[in-house]
Every structure is written in C-alpha cells, then in structure tokens.
Amino acid sequence: MRVEVIDGVTFRDIETGRVFRLFGIDACQRDQIANLGRQPWQCGVAAIAWLTNATLNKWVSCNALREKDGRRIARCSSSEHADLAGDMIKEGLAVCLPDSEDQRVRSYILDEEQARKAYKGMWSSQFAMPWDYRAKQASSRKNEP
C-alpha cells in the first residue's frame, strides 16, 4: 500500500483510508521539543520526517495485530526497512511503550538500550516521554479558562 504519514507512529493507506499505528513504540508529538544542552530541537517533527522518508513513494506492508480506537495496531515494513518501528527505535526517534500500555517487543527493548548508550536521536537530549508529554498537555488544556 502507499501511505501518508499522520504522526511519528501513525499513517493512513491512501487508497482505503485505513489508519495504521506502529506496534510497540511511541514517538514525540508533532509540537514536542527536546533539548540538547541549550539547543531546543523538534523531536516530533524529526520522527515524522523519518517515517515520511521511510515510506515516501515506497510500498508499505503491514501485519495488523489488532484494532484499537479505529486504528490497526500493526508491524509494518517498507522496501528499505524490514521493521519500521524497530528501525525508528535504533535511530533513537522512538521509544518502547511501557509494559502497562502494550506488550513489549524484546528486540525493541535491546535496540532502545543500544540507542540510549550511543546517545542517538532523542537519547542525546533531555525530553519527556511521549505519554508524559500528552498527559501534561491534556492537563494544561483542562486548566485553561
């Protein structure tokens, strides 16, 4: 299928409109910032850019594991990436979901540890875990007048 990227872990099949979310990972939100020393950078935009580049004008294949909130939770690949989620983890542009949210993929945990040790991507910076960032944003919106 050909896809359009929605965010750092989600894309839509252009022909059918079906929405797929990469299994076992999470990434910074579109407006989320990480800080490398005093230099802020847009970790969410970086994740979206990576996924866009990995799928742009390429055939994407997904194995849907289940459906949640109208999205298919899936393991996906493209012609250049046998495992899109795993490669995002390796590049430090995604993190493993915590145990309570989803079943963790053992290889993703090991890849995340390697990315962290190598200070790749987000691991070179200070950042909030994506689920913490979303919770803080939701809390802020509730407290708005």
Side-chain angles (χ1 to χ4, degrees):
M1 73 183 137
R2 300 284 185 173
V3 301
E4 61 180 335
V5 172
I6 297 170
D7 63 30
V9 295
T10 312
F11 48 81
R12 178 180 299 112
D13 180 337
I14 292 171
E15 289 185 22
T16 66
R18 290 185 181 135
V19 177
F20 294 84
R21 186 186 192 291
L22 295 174
F23 173 78
I25 68 168
D26 206 349
C28 288
Q29 299 301 289
R30 182 178 303 273
D31 61 344
Q32 190 173 344
I33 303 292
N35 290 294
L36 179 56
R38 292 182 165 178
Q39 181 64 46
W41 63 280
Q42 297 178 314
C43 58
V45 171
I48 292 167
W50 187 95
L51 188 57
T52 299
N53 187 54
T55 59
L56 187 64
N57 203 30
K58 296 175 181 79
W59 289 103
V60 175
S61 176
C62 292
N63 178 23
L65 304 172
R66 66 177 180 276
E67 192 161 328
K68 181 179 178 184
D69 301 326
R71 300 177 295 181
R72 287 167 174 76
I73 309 300
R75 306 272 313 255
C76 301
S77 61
S78 72
S79 58
E80 295 177 0
H81 299 277
D83 183 352
L84 288 166
D87 288 351
M88 286 187 77
I89 292 269
K90 288 176 186 173
E91 293 298 321
L93 293 171
V95 294
C96 294
L97 285 171
D99 288 330
S100 61
E101 274 193 49
D102 213 328
Q103 181 179 349
R104 296 182 80 177
V105 179
R106 185 173 190 81
S107 64
Y108 292 178
I109 295 167
L110 299 173
D111 290 339
E112 182 179 276
E113 289 172 7
Q114 291 300 315
R116 184 181 299 170
K117 287 177 185 176
Y119 298 101
K120 286 186 141 192
M122 297 184 307
W123 301 111
S124 68
S125 306
Q126 293 179 333
F127 67 97
M129 286 296 186
W131 48 87
D132 293 335
Y133 179 81
R134 283 192 297 274
K136 185 176 179 183
Q137 294 299 101
S139 176
S140 294
R141 283 192 290 273
K142 277 185 184 176
N143 294 330
E144 290 178 359

